[in-house]
Amino acid sequence: MSVSTTRPEAGQAGYDLNTNAETWRLFWHPVATLHELREAKPGGRGPLRTTLLGEQIGIAEIGGQVIAFEDRCPHRGVALTLGWAEDDGLRCRYHGWCFDAAGTCTEIPSMPADQTKPARAALTKYDCEVRYDLVWVRLDGSADTVLPEFEGWSDEAMHCILGEPYTWPCSSGRRMENFMDVTHFPFTHQGTLGAPPNTVFPVFPMDLHDRRLRWKTETFLAHNPGTDTYGPPADENSRMLPPAEYVIEMPFTITLKFQWSDTFSTQIFMHATPIDEVTSRSYWFTCHTVDDSADEVHLQLQDMVLGEDLPVVSSHQPARIGDAAEELSIMPDKAMILWRRWIRELDAAAAKGVDEVWKVLEKVELESTREQVAAGTGPR
Ligand code: FES
Ligand SMILES: [Fe+2]
């Protein structure tokens, strides 16, 4: 594995929990929706400028292929995204050098025909895939990590709606923790997802396996806003939020599934892309069992919940998860405690090498199975 020699010492770097950008460069992150790429420039092929882990990158469709590249022309270092996409090339706006989908410089207009192009005249490219109508980029492919799985997308019984991505002044870690945290429901989402006095939530067994942290919750007392789809508003004694399953695919993807009835289920898929140490951009879908409900119903519920979260999550000090010892954790914060531990382990492993990263990703701790076995109800 190629590890940057400039990598800071463990615990000294600037991302969540003092982790290193080099670690998160090993993973896939969405950097734009396919729609945003199509809308970026006339012709629908980009280029579109975006930022990932503090790095300015460009995406464009060249020769029918969506590619990602360092947003810097090798000639004089200007932004390539100021240029334009042609049928088979990306053209720099300054002196018109042109690059194909492989990154090779195919044309230097000012150079006489009898001269040879410099060998280093090429784009710096990154791994790039279009999946789930999102453009995903991996800045460092050396660990051969895989794209997050989105079950709802491949389930024909589900209808998936792509929400408007949102950029928040908080780290990816802060956004992830806000998503996996249920004890804020009765306060931040009072009247929407919860209300006092229903403030104590059971702490369920949590499993680590297959690169994922998973746990299931039972129906719990909560309010909801009252819609045809989700049922009438609850009073404080109603059981409104149905059984749910949380699945976190390391490091920054989360799927939350709700089973509202035998025939109706919903699913939220979200990835919190690290723009830089203290800024995240969340790409998300809300999915539900195919029915005749309007997309607006589902988007409005999410918008209301996100609007309640935004002022709180924007106020974190610091905006990233810094030294965890400066905060207090209690048992109901268990999901976040486990996620933080795994994040630190991944960062420490990445400093040692690619095999170590996979050892940490593939570790298995089956707490639910252990509890079932202890109770005599689980597999033996
Ligand atoms: S800077 Fe791009 S062609 Fe000169
Ligand atoms: Fe929230």
Side-chain angles (χ1 to χ4, degrees):
M1 172 186 181
S2 68
V3 174
S4 164
T5 51
T6 59
R7 187 185 184 96
E9 291 295 309
Q12 299 295 314
Y15 280 79
D16 284 306
L17 297 156
N18 301 324
T19 57
N20 201 300
E22 298 289 323
T23 304
W24 312 124
R25 287 169 63 96
L26 297 169
F27 292 87
W28 289 96
H29 307 281
V31 298
T33 66
L34 194 54
H35 179 73
E36 288 172 325
L37 173 61
R38 297 287 176 233
E39 293 293 303
K41 296 274 168 64
R45 297 179 295 196
L48 171 65
R49 186 181 209 193
T50 182
T51 307
L52 176 59
L53 288 158
E55 193 151 323
Q56 300 298 325
I57 64 172
I59 53 173
E61 184 182 322
I62 304 297
Q65 188 184 337
V66 177
I67 64 167
F69 48 88
E70 181 186 17
D71 191 16
R72 181 183 181 281
C73 179
H75 179 212
R76 284 292 181 263
V78 308
L80 280 163
T81 49
L82 292 171
W84 54 88
E86 300 178 353
D87 284 345
D88 289 316
L90 176 68
R91 178 86 59 185
C92 179
R93 188 189 188 100
Y94 204 3
H95 311 96
W97 290 24
C98 197
F99 304 87
D100 66 13
T104 307
C105 181
T106 52
E107 188 188 348
I108 298 180
S110 60
M111 205 170 75
D114 60 348
Q115 292 185 9
T116 309
K117 292 193 280 292
R120 289 190 296 113
L123 298 180
T124 300
K125 280 186 65 194
Y126 304 114
D127 296 333
C128 184
E129 293 260 352
V130 175
R131 197 170 303 175
Y132 320 134
D133 284 348
L134 302 175
V135 181
W136 296 76
V137 171
R138 182 175 62 182
L139 295 173
D140 180 345
S142 61
D144 205 19
T145 51
V146 295
L147 273 154
E149 188 183 356
F150 176 8
E151 284 180 35
W153 184 265
S154 43
D155 182 347
E156 287 186 2
M158 299 293 278
H159 173 57
C160 296
I161 310 160
L162 176 59
E164 184 72 25
Y166 50 92
T167 304
W168 282 4
C170 69
S171 66
S172 293
R174 292 294 196 195
R175 178 69 197 106
M176 288 294 289
E177 291 201 345
N178 170 244
F179 203 118
M180 66 182 93
D181 178 338
V182 292
T183 61
H184 78 288
F185 283 7
F187 297 95
T188 307
H189 303 296
Q190 190 165 162
T192 307
L193 297 177
N198 305 315
T199 58
V200 177
F201 296 79
V203 176
F204 294 98
M206 296 181 181
D207 291 339
L208 274 61
H209 63 101
D210 194 23
R211 310 184 313 281
R212 295 167 174 87
L213 171 62
R214 304 168 192 259
W215 68 100
K216 290 183 177 171
T217 63
E218 294 169 357
T219 301
F220 60 83
L221 296 169
H223 284 196
N224 87 8
T227 65
D228 288 346
T229 302
Y230 295 98
D235 64 35
E236 67 186 33
N237 295 314
S238 297
R239 292 181 175 273
M240 287 311 300
L241 281 185
E245 181 179 11
Y246 287 78
V247 181
I248 296 173
E249 186 165 340
M250 294 301 284
F252 301 132
T253 308
I254 186 163
T255 305
L256 171 56
K257 305 176 197 172
F258 283 115
Q259 192 68 43
W260 296 84
S261 70
D262 286 349
T263 55
F264 187 67
S265 61
T266 59
Q267 194 175 119
I268 301 167
F269 174 91
M270 191 273 288
H271 184 102
T273 292
I275 301 297
D276 59 27
E277 293 94 327
V278 292
T279 315
S280 56
R281 189 168 202 240
S282 296
Y283 295 83
W284 62 285
F285 290 80
T286 176
C287 314
H288 60 90
T289 314
V290 175
D291 64 5
D292 57 5
S293 58
D295 287 0
E296 278 311 303
V297 171
H298 303 276
L299 290 169
Q300 279 167 6
L301 175 65
Q302 290 308 310
D303 284 346
M304 179 162 56
V305 171
L306 293 171
E308 292 165 349
D309 278 317
L310 175 59
V312 175
V313 179
S314 304
S315 75
H316 277 293
Q317 294 183 38
R320 63 170 187 129
I321 308 166
D323 186 345
E326 291 170 4
E327 299 182 359
L328 298 172
S329 292
I330 55 174
M331 192 49 179
D333 299 326
K334 178 180 171 185
M336 289 139 276
I337 293 166
L338 293 178
W339 180 81
R340 287 180 179 197
R341 191 184 75 192
W342 211 353
I343 287 287
R344 278 198 221 91
E345 289 172 0
L346 274 174
D347 188 57
K352 294 182 195 157
V354 60
D355 293 342
E356 298 300 314
V357 172
W358 274 100
K359 274 185 209 161
V360 173
L361 280 175
E362 292 186 326
K363 74 175 184 173
V364 178
E365 292 176 18
L366 296 179
E367 193 183 21
S368 60
T369 305
R370 205 166 56 228
E371 291 200 353
Q372 287 166 359
V373 170
T377 59
R380 290 171 186 274

